[in-house]
Amino acid sequence: MKLIEAIIKPFKLDEVKDALNEIGIEGITVSEVKGFGRQKGHTELYRGAEYVVDFIPKIKMEIAVSDDLVGKVVETIQNVAKTGRIGDGKIFIIPLEEAVRIRTGEKGSDAI
Amino acid sequence: MKLIEAIIKPFKLDEVKDALNEIGIEGITVSEVKGFGRQKGHTELYRGAEYVVDFIPKIKMEIAVSDDLVGKVVETIQNVAKTGRIGDGKIFIIPLEEAVRIRTGEKGSDAI
Amino acid sequence: MKLIEAIIKPFKLDEVKDALNEIGIEGITVSEVKGFGRQKGHTELYRGAEYVVDFIPKIKMEIAVSDDLVGKVVETIQNVAKTGRIGDGKIFIIPLEEAVRIRTGEKGSDAI
Amino acid sequence: PDEIRDRARAAFIGMAIGDALGATVEFMTTSEIASKYGTFKDIIGGGWLRLKPGQVTDDTQMALCIARAVVSRQTWALEAVADNFAAWLKSRPVDCGDTCRKGIRAYMLHGTLEMPLNEWDAGNGAAMRMLPVALYSLPDGELLRKYAVEQAHLTHNNPVSDAACICLGEMLHLAICGAEKSRLRRQADGLVARFPTFNFEPYRGLATGYVVDTMQTVFHWFFRGRSFEECLVGAVNQGADADTTGAICAMLAGAYYGMEGIPQRWLKKMDKGVITEIEIVTDKLLAASPLWRAF
Ligand SMILES: Nc1ncnc2c1ncn2[C@@H]1O[C@H](COP(=O)(O)OP(=O)(O)O)[C@@H](O)[C@H]1O
Ligand SMILES: Nc1ncnc2c1ncn2[C@@H]1O[C@H](COP(=O)(O)OP(=O)(O)O)[C@@H](O)[C@H]1O
Ligand SMILES: Nc1ncnc2c1ncn2[C@@H]1O[C@H](COP(=O)(O)OP(=O)(O)O)[C@@H](O)[C@H]1O
Ligand SMILES: [Mg+2]
Ligand SMILES: [Mg+2]
């Protein structure tokens, strides 16, 4: 199993979620984060307010998937989250040694 | 060492923290996250407008532990965080190659 | 590649960022988190307000780096984030199996 | 014959009613239901899925997926069933079980038509979809067994689940063809003889999604109740996986007691579109079955 962590532009969240839904993926954990990178924070319009900040709001998605799904999930996120402009973000693949579904105690691929 | 990441229902945080303290675990890093899964968000009335809140607020706990404590920590979280109702959450076990205590420079199990 | 996760005192963020920029590291993802540990949350001054809470606000930095930079990055964070007082935080090193730059599709070290 | 058609319709409509009724109290305990409703016996929607009154869930919807596939192809076509499951999943249904989702996803991504044998996949997700399989194969037991296992393995490949599916299908055949309850009881006893884990006497009151608990609840209330309403109310008031125990108990009770056994107050509350489609598809399934084609 792998834990896929994707840092994306916030307005792309719904689109990425929909695309993952099309391949049967529903379980995602999302956090609001601040991005520093090549895309500089200057004044940016975000939720109707002008930010003079040195970071850019990003969305981080965490998706635990079984190994056989990794390729498809990465491809899906990359195709949909991409705008071609700086700041589109990253996809990180982290090894996931074990997963447990708290409600049932199920482990492994049955847990995610 | 492992980095244990647990996604739980927010009202369970104090209970889980207390149970972990009972087994000698004190260091935890907590974030507020948004959960998407089988448990759905809904429409909420807020200031007279209907919001489709399609996520469920969750709490993410990150706990770095030495290998010998992993089983006990997972078991503790799972027993305490469980309600048996959909949306109880997940426990992920991620390999932790190195840990450093910033204050002292200590490494490995002494750092966590 | 590794994913370096650092939990630090919030006021240290700018200093750590500047130090990382000095060694050529620009890409960082930052989240606001709550810390529980040896440093007890009681009343603490945070953004001008006194908190009576059992957690301490911390900053989490995530930095994906190629293997050859890991030592330097860890050393830099540890030197700059340290105050010598309890609560300085942790640095965790997590294996990063793959990284993708969403904008270009680049993989591996070229992606970060 | 009209009686067969009547009982077949009552089985499918009954299933939808059981689903909609039980969904309100899904995941509740018997004491929670008792303190909130006394005896829960009216279709009011709500529940953890926030349903409208008379709205059905994945139980009825997956059964309709199978029915539509068979009717449109006029032959048993596992791929058509899988395609319908996939289209249904993409349509963001109100709920989908974890094991069903995993199997449908395997089909969407890899074309998998049979999940690997799994000793843990003994949930009730395959059994709850048995009715259209029983109707289409009526009254051929061999055909029933073949179709039952094939459709089940799209998501659940497990001997306990297979046994439950087949027994349920056999009981549906018997009931629709007019058998007495004592004959149906012998069929259930046969399952218990081969798989003692299904023993429901004494009834332990477990009604979870584990197919053994589900079938114990279904059998206990089907054989104890003396009317469609008694059977279904008994089953759903056990709580836990109430929409599914309700749906399965009601498909048996509907097949046994016929349309006249179904309370009007429940039928009126149901989603009209769903009931209309059920009536149409039930006739078509029967028309395509060996029983009809023999005439
Ligand atoms: N090395 C890194 N480690 C962690 N997060 C990073 C890294 N580099 C970039 N990011 C995240 O990705 C976002 C986009 O990066 P940026 O360099 O602006 O553009 P691009 O991804 O298009 O090359 C940043 O705002 C930050 O959140
Ligand atoms: N594959 C996944 N990867 C990451 N987080 C997930 C995944 N699946 C579920 N989650 C998280 O767990 C929470 C609960 O999941 P859910 O499917 O609603 O119920 P349950 O855990 O009871 O099966 C979600 O809200 C989400 O935060
Ligand atoms: N085992 C751990 N796993 C994850 N985060 C931890 C762990 N221990 C400590 N932390 C984080 O590091 C912060 C500082 O830890 P603390 O024990 O207060 O002081 P110090 O790091 O100086 O020994 C905590 O507030 C918490 O955010
Ligand atoms: Mg259901
Ligand atoms: Mg159910």
Side-chain angles (χ1 to χ4, degrees), chain B residues 33-48:
Chain B
V33 294
K34 295 172 176 172
F36 297 87
R38 199 172 157 195
Q39 183 189 17
K40 303 279 178 269
H42 49 279
T43 52
E44 223 171 54
L45 217 55
Y46 179 62
R47 293 186 177 166

Side-chain angles (χ1 to χ4, degrees), chain D residues 198 203-204 206-218 245:
Chain D
F198 282 102
Y203 174 56
R204 297 172 305 152
L206 298 176
T208 73
Y210 173 39
V211 74
V212 169
D213 294 352
T214 294
M215 295 315 293
Q216 285 173 352
T217 297
V218 166
T245 56

Side-chain angles (χ1 to χ4, degrees), chain B residues 38, chain D residues 26-27 57-59 95 124 128 240-245:
Chain B
R38 199 172 157 195
Chain D
E26 188 181 13
F27 296 121
T57 76
D58 49 328
D59 306 67
D95 191 26
N124 54 25
M128 72 194 193
D241 200 2
D243 65 326
T244 308
T245 56

Side-chain angles (χ1 to χ4, degrees), chain C residues 31-77:
Chain C
S31 354
E32 297 175 2
V33 295
K34 296 171 176 176
F36 298 85
R38 223 175 284 191
Q39 180 187 18
K40 293 299 171 226
H42 29 274
T43 55
E44 187 175 80
L45 216 56
Y46 178 61
R47 289 183 180 168
E50 232 186 42
Y51 275 64
V52 184
V53 284
D54 65 342
F55 66 84
I56 306 275
K58 299 291 176 192
I59 283 289
K60 169 168 136 184
M61 308 173 74
E62 285 172 273
I63 313 151
V65 296
S66 51
D67 293 345
D68 56 311
L69 286 176
V70 175
K72 194 80 192 123
V73 169
V74 171
E75 176 191 342
T76 302
I77 296 173

